[in-house]
Amino acid sequence: MITYKIMYNDKRLEIIPARYMKGNRIALQAYDGAEPYAVLTVNLPEFDDLINDRYIFMDENNCPGITAALKEACLIEPTGLDAPSGFCKYPVVLWRG
């Protein structure tokens, strides 16, 4: 299993990529040591036909600043686009990990 380390909110987190069951898009789970910290992405299958599965939707609503932390670690490339869902917008990024 490939894992990545980042700094976020003064914590050293381990990022473990996985795949969502629906759509097979990349999901990012963060751990603080052995404890789950947060799921950093959301699955928006309504966009599956528009963009390929290397593009992911960052959950800035629950993890403010996570896009910047992953960019600093060279794991993602922001696109400047947002995907709307309900009352939220999710930054669309290209996974580089």
Side-chain angles (χ1 to χ4, degrees), residues 1-2 4 15-21 24-31 39 41 53 56 95:
M1 170 186 345
I2 296 174
Y4 304 91
I15 307 301
I16 300 176
R19 293 277 178 170
Y20 287 106
M21 294 285 289
N24 202 37
R25 191 168 302 283
I26 295 166
L28 300 178
Q29 171 73 49
Y31 290 85
V39 177
T41 55
D53 68 351
I56 57 179
W95 174 244

Side-chain angles (χ1 to χ4, degrees), residues 3-6 12-16 29-34:
T3 64
Y4 304 91
K5 306 268 194 256
I6 67 166
R12 184 168 179 82
L13 298 179
E14 183 175 22
I15 307 301
I16 300 176
Q29 171 73 49
Y31 290 85
D32 182 7

Side-chain angles (χ1 to χ4, degrees), residues 8-9 37 59-69:
Y8 175 70
N9 285 348
Y37 182 78
D59 190 358
E60 282 282 333
N61 300 299
N62 291 308
C63 302
I66 194 61
T67 302

Side-chain angles (χ1 to χ4, degrees), residues 4-91:
Y4 304 91
K5 306 268 194 256
I6 67 166
M7 289 300 297
Y8 175 70
N9 285 348
D10 297 323
K11 294 183 181 289
R12 184 168 179 82
L13 298 179
E14 183 175 22
I15 307 301
I16 300 176
R19 293 277 178 170
Y20 287 106
M21 294 285 289
K22 186 171 184 179
N24 202 37
R25 191 168 302 283
I26 295 166
L28 300 178
Q29 171 73 49
Y31 290 85
D32 182 7
E35 296 295 318
Y37 182 78
V39 177
L40 307 179
T41 55
V42 296
N43 192 25
L44 300 176
E46 59 267 31
F47 293 98
D48 285 349
D49 292 337
L50 301 176
I51 57 176
N52 73 46
D53 68 351
R54 300 283 304 167
Y55 290 89
I56 57 179
F57 309 103
M58 300 306 305
D59 190 358
E60 282 282 333
N61 300 299
N62 291 308
C63 302
I66 194 61
T67 302
L70 290 170
K71 180 182 180 202
E72 186 174 312
C74 300
L75 294 176
I76 61 161
E77 180 181 319
T79 65
L81 301 173
D82 291 321
S85 182
F87 293 106
C88 298
K89 291 183 181 178
Y90 299 96

